[in-house]
Amino acid sequence: MTVRLTVHRAQWQAHVHSVAAGYGAGLVPVVKGNGYGFGRPVLHRLAADIADVTEIAVERRTVCVGTVHELHDVPDGLTPLVLTPTLAPPTDDHPVLTVGSLAHVAALAGWRGRVIVKLASSMRRYGVRAAELPDLVGAVTAARLTVEGFGLHLPLAGDDAARRGEIEAWLPHLPPTLPLWVSHLDQASFTALRTAHRERQFRVRIGTALWHGVPRGDFLHLSADVLHTQRVQAGDTAGYFHTLVQFDGTLVAVGAGSTNGIGALADPDPARRSPFHFARHRVPLLERPHMHTSMVVVPDGQPCPEVGGRLDVQWPLTTTAIDELEWI
């Protein structure tokens, strides 16, 4: 079984450094979850390189991670900012944590370190409202924590004008001496924000656009091995649930499944739920992917792969556990 992420190294690195240069010194890479399909250690190494080139976060080489459970593989040369509030602080005060409520501060009792104060956005996920901000900052000070800055996590919905509007609404409530960390602004909008408020410091957390491109660049390719093929006819049954085969063709066992995070696509049309393609044809699923194998049926008259070949996989890299990272 092999689910393989193939990366055209030179093109990918050129993209990453272009994005980093476009955002400039305010860029802070995000390396969280499954490491955007690459694995976190791979991206941490490149984040350190970006820090050297762009002087990210100005005085520190900083990288954003998802939770305190992702701290263990951050190399010593990087300062991790934990984006998700924690109810159990880490054992050391090196990371910068996030607090968005009095409960988050109380959970850090006895820990001494730096925090980002999370501000409420239209996402309504974590974050303090403007009227509550003085009390929260007071609680942070009383807990002998150091406010490193403020964070505003903006939604994907809407456009940059709406996101800029949320940022502008918060600025009168924030001291100009501490940086504001924002998200989901393109390069031009972030540059315009910094130009409009030269007296303030801004940081922008960038993950998907940095590592994948938006839309995803053609320098990344996800595929899976073909492990077995056999002829089937309409009316045959196969699979865990003895699913009825709808047409004559070739039953193909693909080395990819739920263990890799791969499933059926959420599409109202059953014919478009397969994430697998071969020779630019979508290959219909027989039944939903299972742990290590997915079964698809290639109709007669359509190009058919052989054992040892690969099917293209249409699936988000942020939810894929790959078996092999291939650099070309």
Side-chain angles (χ1 to χ4, degrees):
M1 172 191 74
T2 301
V3 172
R4 185 181 291 104
L5 174 59
T6 301
V7 186
H8 294 264
R9 185 192 298 268
Q11 296 175 45
W12 179 67
Q13 289 182 329
H15 160 79
V16 169
H17 284 97
S18 173
V19 172
Y23 280 102
L27 171 77
V28 184
V30 179
V31 180
K32 62 182 181 179
N34 69 342
Y36 293 83
F38 294 82
R40 295 195 303 271
V42 172
L43 296 188
H44 280 315
R45 288 194 294 272
L46 190 61
D49 292 340
I50 296 173
D52 292 336
V53 172
T54 65
E55 299 179 352
I56 59 168
V58 186
E59 72 282 1
R60 294 188 182 91
R61 303 196 325 159
T62 307
V63 64
C64 294
V65 302
T67 73
V68 292
H69 304 291
E70 297 176 358
L71 291 172
H72 62 90
D73 52 18
V74 178
D76 291 340
L78 292 174
T79 298
L81 165 61
V82 181
L83 296 175
T84 305
T86 179
L87 302 181
T91 56
D92 66 85
D93 61 5
H94 177 58
V96 181
L97 303 184
T98 293
V99 295
S101 69
L102 294 176
H104 297 157
V105 176
L108 300 181
W111 184 79
R112 300 289 181 264
R114 294 166 291 151
V115 297
I116 293 291
V117 175
K118 192 70 168 286
L119 309 174
S121 75
S122 59
M123 285 181 64
R124 303 181 68 176
R125 192 162 73 173
Y126 308 114
V128 63
R129 293 177 296 182
E132 303 163 337
L133 181 60
D135 287 343
L136 182 56
V137 172
V140 168
T141 301
R144 297 172 62 187
L145 302 171
T146 301
V147 178
E148 185 83 351
F150 300 90
L152 187 61
H153 195 186
L154 299 164
L156 291 172
D159 56 19
D160 273 11
R163 288 183 278 272
R164 278 283 305 274
E166 292 198 45
I167 294 169
E168 297 284 351
W170 264 108
L171 292 182
H173 303 280
L174 306 176
T177 53
L178 291 174
L180 174 61
W181 299 62
V182 298
S183 67
H184 301 128
L185 291 180
D186 65 23
Q187 296 174 29
S189 295
F190 183 64
T191 299
L193 176 68
R194 297 175 73 186
T195 300
H197 300 280
R198 295 184 184 275
E199 77 284 2
R200 290 184 178 269
Q201 303 174 61
F202 293 97
R203 309 282 184 267
V204 60
R205 310 184 315 250
I206 301 295
T208 302
L210 180 64
W211 306 126
H212 294 167
V214 180
R216 192 164 87 189
D218 58 8
F219 39 76
L220 302 175
H221 180 218
L222 191 63
S223 63
D225 287 344
V226 174
L227 303 180
H228 184 69
T229 66
Q230 59 183 294
R231 289 286 304 162
V232 288
Q233 294 180 321
D236 288 346
T237 60
Y240 272 108
F241 302 104
H242 285 179
T243 301
L244 189 69
V245 176
Q246 300 294 322
F247 41 77
D248 295 349
T250 302
L251 182 65
V252 178
V254 186
S258 57
T259 298
N260 303 100
I262 294 170
L265 296 169
D267 195 289
D269 182 358
R272 296 186 56 80
R273 291 176 186 166
S274 173
F276 300 106
H277 298 251
F278 183 74
R280 299 185 178 274
H281 293 271
R282 190 184 301 272
V283 183
L285 286 168
L286 175 73
E287 57 188 25
R288 70 177 185 271
H290 291 276
M291 288 188 70
H292 300 111
T293 301
S294 298
M295 300 180 75
V296 298
V297 183
V298 178
D300 281 350
Q302 188 169 304
C304 186
E306 298 180 351
V307 173
R310 300 184 192 178
L311 295 184
D312 299 327
V313 184
Q314 176 192 358
W315 198 257
L317 285 174
T318 51
T319 57
T320 302
I322 66 168
D323 299 306
E324 182 181 345
L325 184 60
E326 178 183 54
W327 299 93
I328 61 174

